[in-house]
Amino acid sequence: MAALTQAVPTVAIFASDKGPGDPERASLMGEVGRVFARKGARMLCLAEQGVIPVPLVTAARTAGGQVEVVADASIVLPQALSEVPITVLPEAAARHAYLAEMSAAYVALPGSLASANALFGAWSTGAGRPVVMLNRHKAFDVLRGFAVDVLAASVPNYDRNIQFAETVEDLWNKVVWVSEQRR
């Protein structure tokens, strides 16, 4: 009997460890990087305006994961990440289009406004990628409320495009689920 194979998605991850926000975000990025790497995901990490999700990239690479940094011209990777592939696209629209073309889903981690702004920029391009948000410490409760109150009433099957997870394992499961729904 042939074993069922599950396609492993490529995901664009939006994370930031700069500015005010969740003090646990660096360790959370590390946990996501390790879990996604162990599951075999290919991760695209957006780096803009000097903000690089170093804990995510480092943990994923240490766990043997595939990571590519998609960056603006201001980004210079630290020496420890010199082996990480980097795609430099000077225009934000080009970076967002690249992330949409190369990924099956977007993953949003709690962080600062920098990561939320980057996610909104990519998502608003209309590429139709589903988004899974890690709602640690209720970071995305406002968006969850909006989804339930507004989107559920006006957008058919909105839940195929927006998911919320409470744990990193749940985040992975929902990323796989939304990726499969897109096929």
Side-chain angles (χ1 to χ4, degrees), residues 87-105:
T87 299
V88 176
L89 300 167
E91 299 298 321
R95 290 189 297 279
H96 297 155
Y98 184 84
L99 291 171
E101 178 183 339
M102 301 302 289
S103 68

Side-chain angles (χ1 to χ4, degrees), residues 93-165:
R95 290 189 297 279
H96 297 155
Y98 184 84
L99 291 171
E101 178 183 339
M102 301 302 289
S103 68
Y106 294 154
V107 171
L109 301 182
S112 69
L113 286 177
S115 56
N117 188 44
L119 170 64
F120 180 75
W123 198 20
S124 66
T125 63
R129 291 293 171 260
V131 178
V132 183
M133 299 176 205
L134 182 58
N135 196 33
R136 177 79 58 96
H137 299 305
K138 301 180 180 188
F140 296 109
D141 264 3
V142 169
L143 291 174
R144 177 182 264 168
F146 175 80
V148 170
D149 293 344
V150 178
L151 295 180
S154 60
V155 178
N157 300 316
Y158 82 95
D159 58 329
R160 291 185 181 179
N161 292 308
I162 301 172
Q163 288 283 310
F164 298 89

Side-chain angles (χ1 to χ4, degrees), residues 79-92:
Q79 184 62 33
L81 301 179
S82 63
E83 299 296 316
V84 175
I86 184 169
T87 299
V88 176
L89 300 167
E91 299 298 321

Side-chain angles (χ1 to χ4, degrees), residues 29 33 45 52-62 67-69 81 84:
M29 279 191 255
C45 298
I52 306 168
V54 172
L56 174 71
V57 175
T58 302
R61 296 282 294 183
T62 300
V67 181
E68 176 184 349
V69 173
L81 301 179
V84 175

